[in-house]
RNA sequence: GGCCCCAUGGUCAAGCGGCUAAGACGUCGCCCUCUCAAGGCGAAAUCAGGGGUUCGAUUCCCCUUGGGGCUACCA
């Protein structure tokens, strides 16, 4: 694995947003490139004309950029082996297809969907593997002419040699052997002239001088087809490494019903790129030390395919939350604020420009150690914004109905009025004095004040809450709550 | 159905013939504490089953079971 500069690639199909599994593949490749001083190439595999879209391509690129996984070569940035969009490389594939056709390693197939469907059905009835049996393998020129006259548009199939072992030396799985007899002649160019995945991917990886193909395990079974194409073309294949799949809680492949599956959704929920990446890195890869929290730079230093796991990994949101929380804690006040702002605005807690920025920064900072991701911020700081509130429940209200409560509040108000600047220290002193003068247990003092100020029985420390609220708001809230108790 | 991959606590996982089988998340308990968290300390919890190989298997081989992937003119 430590063999000099690597040229790796991420080659998504633009058929939807960037999936969490794709993001992990991109990360692994990116890390490999950075660690070896090599190149990370971004290629777009848009040969599925029906499902591909430019919107999805943009979404994927944006997600990659947001994650900080920039590419050295590829779409948008260019490079010596472009173009990097497969539909723009049709002429290139045609050249190789002609070679294959001329040497008899590929042939035209005029079968219709119905015919193929029928073949599959009868094979599976006989409990045989449904695969193309080679009906058009040896068509004469006259046969082909006849079909063409009928207006049939041929696909091009690769002639898979019989009785051959196709060996894949996988970087994570070791040697995997396939029997060529189990692989039917597969289509390399569809009847509309567009190559299929297994064909285009092989040619592109070779032409783009990719040294290592690291991708999800779902591609392992396709690899022998690609190896066959390389053999047919007389090209040396790249090295392959198939990383285990990411599974949902029920151990099936991650899909919508498992919750958020796209990077975009995690971004929206306010996860940090560094947190998401850290979590993804630990799915299907590990290192022998005990460290769990890594920055991207640290990962570059220690990542290697040697420690890639073979067994599939279940996506555990709890762990993601914990890891992301660790990254949140390392944020500066300013960075945390930037992250919080859209969630604050979106929650309807505040309007743009309604509060002083410096105050907001401080308020948001109080949530830092208590949240896992951005969307959790509003409910943690809500208390600073709502001067009018209802009691959380009866138990909460009961705190203020207690005999000693009214006196505590009066005394508290008096002290607030007399107090100078409210800081953590001065508030601490103020409350201590309050406890002393009232002669009550601490709890009988703190709780009424807390509830009077927020309507809740729990929340941030009073030494945090009171200075941030400030004298004016406090008096306002006291008045409000007294009115509430009477009414 | 065929082919391929995989198998250590609930989850991520270390382990690479001999260990009291790491660590983390989560769970539970205790401490801290005005509350909720956070934090600190501690606990419970794993080698799928069966055969081999070996002085000795979590580790190597085979079978079974279980999970997953592929089997498209999708990627």
């Amino acid at each position: 694995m430590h063999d000099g500069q690597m040229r790796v690639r991420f080659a998504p199909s633009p058929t939807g947003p960037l999936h969490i599994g794709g993001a992990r593949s991109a990360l692994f490749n990116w890390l490999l490139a950075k660690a070896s001083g090599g190149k990370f190439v971004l290629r777009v595999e848009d040969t599925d004309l029906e499902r591909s879209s430019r919107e999805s391509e943009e979404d994927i690129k944006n997600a990659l950029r947001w994650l900080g996984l920039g590419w050295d070569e590829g779409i948008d940035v260019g490079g010596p082996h472009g173009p990097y969009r497969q539909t723009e490389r049709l002429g290139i594939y045609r050249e190789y297809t002609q070679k294959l056709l001329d040497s008899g390693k590929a042939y035209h197939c005029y079968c219709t969907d119905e015919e193929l469907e029928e073949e599959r059905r009868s094979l599976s009835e006989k409990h045989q593997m449904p695969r193309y049996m080679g009906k058009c393998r040896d068509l004469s020129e006259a046969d082909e002419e006849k079909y063409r006259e009928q207006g049939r548009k041929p696909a091009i199939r690769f002639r898979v040699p019989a009785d051959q072992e196709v060996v894949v030396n996988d970087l994570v799985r070791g040697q995997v052997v396939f029997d060529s007899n189990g692989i039917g002649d597969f289509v390399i160019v569809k009847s509309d002239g567009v190559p299929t995945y297994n064909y285009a991917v092989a040619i592109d990886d070779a032409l783009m001088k990719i040294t290592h193909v690291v991708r999800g395990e779902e591609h392992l079974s396709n690899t022998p087809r690609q190896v066959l194409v390389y053999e047919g073309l007389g090209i040396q294949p790249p090295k392959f490494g198939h990383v285990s799949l990411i599974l949902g809680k029920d151990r099936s492949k991650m899909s919508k019903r498992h919750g958020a599956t796209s990077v975009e959704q995690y971004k929206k929920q306010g996860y940090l790129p560094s947190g998401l990446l850290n979590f993804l890195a630990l799915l299907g890869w590990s290192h022998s030390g005990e460290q769990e929290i890594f920055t991207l730079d640290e990962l570059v230093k220690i990542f290697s395919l040697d420690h890639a796991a073979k067994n599939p990994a279940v996506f555990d949101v709890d762990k993601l939350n914990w890891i992301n929380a660790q990254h949140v804690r390392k944020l500066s006040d300013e960075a945390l604020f930037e992250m919080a702002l859209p969630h604050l605005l979106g929650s309807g807690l505040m309007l743009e420009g309604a509060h002083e920025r410096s105050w907001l920064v401080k308020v948001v900072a109080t949530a830092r150690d208590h949240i896992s991701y951005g969307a959790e911020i509003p409910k943690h700081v809500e208390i600073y914004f709502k001067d009018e509130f209802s009691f959380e429940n009866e138990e909460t209200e009961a705190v203020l109905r207690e005999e000693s409560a009214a006196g505590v509040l009066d005394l508290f108000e008096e002290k607030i009025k007399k107090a100078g600047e409210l800081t953590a220290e001065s508030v601490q002193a103020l409350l201590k004095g309050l406890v002393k003068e009232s002669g009550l247990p601490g709890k009988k003092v703190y709780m009424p004040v807390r509830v009077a100020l927020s309507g809740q029985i729990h929340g941030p420390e009073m030494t945090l809450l009171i200075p941030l609220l400030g004298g004016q708001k406090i008096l306002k809230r006291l008045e409000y709550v007294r009115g509430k108790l009477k009414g």
Side-chain angles (χ1 to χ4, degrees):
Chain A
M1 251 354 306
H2 309 285
D3 37 8
Q5 296 202 335
M6 298 167 76
R7 285 184 56 83
V8 295
R9 48 55 158 199
F10 178 55
S13 287
T15 56
L18 180 59
H19 185 91
I20 221 72
R24 193 194 52 171
S25 290
L27 170 64
F28 284 6
N29 280 287
W30 188 90
L31 289 172
L32 255 13
K34 295 300 151 190
S36 68
K39 296 276 189 259
F40 177 57
V41 180
L42 178 63
R43 180 176 71 227
V44 173
E45 311 216 322
D46 57 348
T47 54
D48 184 340
L49 273 20
E50 294 289 306
R51 296 194 303 149
S52 297
S53 75
R54 283 301 173 100
E55 291 70 36
S56 291
E57 185 186 310
E58 286 306 314
D59 288 346
I60 291 169
K61 288 187 294 192
N62 286 335
L64 248 19
R65 288 191 194 104
W66 177 73
L67 287 169
L69 304 179
W71 48 102
D72 308 298
E73 240 180 83
I75 221 77
D76 290 355
V77 306
H81 307 288
Y84 293 91
R85 192 150 30 220
Q86 288 186 327
T87 49
E88 292 168 11
R89 300 172 62 79
L90 267 22
I92 297 171
Y93 307 124
R94 213 165 286 138
E95 233 177 88
Y96 290 90
T97 307
Q98 199 52 54
K99 273 196 213 170
L100 255 17
L101 247 18
D102 292 345
S103 61
K105 285 172 176 155
Y107 60 88
H108 293 283
C109 168
Y110 293 85
C111 294
T112 62
D113 288 347
E114 294 72 38
E115 287 166 341
L116 294 171
E117 178 60 34
E118 175 55 35
E119 179 177 69
R120 268 195 293 272
R121 209 182 49 221
S122 85
L123 276 171
S124 84
E125 255 170 37
K126 283 182 263 175
H127 299 291
Q128 287 187 39
M129 171 149 97
R131 68 201 148 96
Y132 186 66
M133 296 306 281
K135 185 176 171 198
C136 299
R137 264 195 158 199
D138 302 297
L139 253 29
S140 67
E141 185 48 46
D143 292 332
E144 294 210 31
E145 183 60 32
K146 197 179 73 199
Y147 280 132
R148 276 198 295 269
E149 272 167 17
Q150 290 173 20
R152 276 151 93 139
K153 283 237 164 80
I156 299 172
R157 285 183 186 272
F158 186 87
R159 193 185 300 271
V160 175
D163 305 321
Q164 193 184 312
E165 278 193 345
V166 185
V167 178
V168 177
N169 277 106
D170 196 272
L171 259 15
V172 352
R173 269 146 230 285
Q175 190 178 76
V176 184
V177 182
F178 297 85
D179 179 357
S180 70
N181 294 327
I183 305 169
D185 292 351
F186 54 94
V187 172
I188 56 175
V189 180
K190 306 177 225 176
S191 54
D192 62 1
V194 179
T196 59
Y197 162 73
N198 281 122
Y199 183 52
V201 77
I203 291 181
D204 286 345
D205 283 336
L207 258 30
M208 294 180 185
K209 307 242 185 309
I210 300 302
T211 58
H212 301 255
V213 171
V214 176
R215 73 225 310 193
E217 199 205 304
E218 70 266 33
H219 291 289
L220 182 57
S221 303
N222 278 319
T223 308
R225 291 178 179 62
Q226 292 159 31
V227 170
L228 251 14
V229 169
Y230 285 123
E231 280 176 10
L233 255 16
I235 298 173
Q236 178 76 26
K239 291 183 176 163
F240 297 101
H242 290 92
V243 187
S244 62
L245 255 25
I246 298 178
L247 270 26
K249 262 243 169 320
D250 61 356
R251 299 212 142 265
S252 68
K253 204 174 169 179
M254 270 282 266
S255 67
K256 313 352 130 249
R257 72 204 157 80
H258 294 112
T261 54
S262 71
V263 168
E264 201 174 291
Q265 285 170 291
Y266 286 94
K267 178 187 174 191
K268 240 181 224 145
Q269 285 181 61
Y271 285 87
L272 261 15
S274 63
L276 191 55
L277 253 15
N278 189 162
F279 173 68
L280 254 20
L282 259 21
L283 273 189
W285 172 84
S286 67
H287 82 133
S288 28
E290 288 184 4
Q291 189 179 349
E292 300 269 342
I293 303 303
F294 300 97
T295 62
L296 244 195
D297 287 339
E298 288 173 318
L299 287 172
V300 168
K301 290 199 185 81
I302 58 174
F303 184 82
S304 115
L305 240 31
D306 304 342
H307 292 91
K310 296 186 201 172
N311 48 323
V314 172
F315 189 95
D316 180 8
V317 184
D318 284 333
K319 182 121 187 194
L320 165 63
N321 286 343
W322 179 79
I323 288 177
N324 200 69
Q326 303 307 308
H327 285 260
V328 168
R329 284 161 193 223
K330 293 200 283 185
L331 253 31
S332 67
D333 284 359
E334 278 295 324
L336 185 66
F337 172 71
E338 291 300 332
M339 166 187 147
L341 195 54
H343 296 99
L344 251 25
L345 260 15
S347 70
L349 264 189
M350 55 169 264
L351 265 24
E352 188 130 33
H355 300 274
E356 225 172 286
R357 183 187 163 101
S358 62
W359 181 77
L360 284 172
V361 168
K362 281 187 224 159
V363 165
V364 168
T366 64
R368 184 191 279 108
D369 290 351
H370 308 275
I371 57 152
S372 295
Y373 50 92
E376 289 181 335
I377 291 177
K379 76 170 190 282
H380 274 272
V381 300
E382 179 185 57
I383 194 172
Y384 296 98
F385 294 89
K386 286 163 80 175
D387 289 335
E388 303 194 344
F389 43 76
S390 49
F391 294 115
E392 206 178 2
N393 53 43
E394 284 189 20
E395 188 198 346
T396 309
E397 186 170 348
V399 169
L400 292 182
R401 299 268 180 215
E402 262 184 66
E403 225 180 305
S404 59
V408 168
L409 292 188
D410 291 345
L411 206 50
F412 174 66
E413 177 170 15
E414 208 176 293
K415 282 183 176 292
I416 286 291
K417 278 179 177 162
K418 277 193 290 188
E421 196 192 350
L422 293 171
T423 65
E425 294 73 34
S426 73
V427 167
Q428 176 116 50
L430 185 151
L431 288 171
K432 269 191 179 157
L434 192 49
V435 170
K436 213 170 170 185
E437 285 172 43
S438 66
L440 293 163
K443 197 165 182 166
K444 294 274 185 204
V445 170
Y446 281 90
M447 285 320 278
V449 172
R450 170 178 298 288
V451 173
L453 259 27
S454 69
Q456 293 183 358
I457 210 160
H458 49 73
E461 287 169 31
M462 302 303 285
T463 54
L464 224 46
L465 179 63
I466 292 176
L468 278 173
L469 246 29
Q472 275 201 315
K473 272 192 182 177
I474 290 174
L475 297 177
K476 212 162 109 190
R477 290 188 185 191
L478 284 174
E479 192 183 337
Y480 168 77
V481 88
R482 281 190 182 116
K484 212 171 160 53
L485 285 171
K486 275 182 213 149

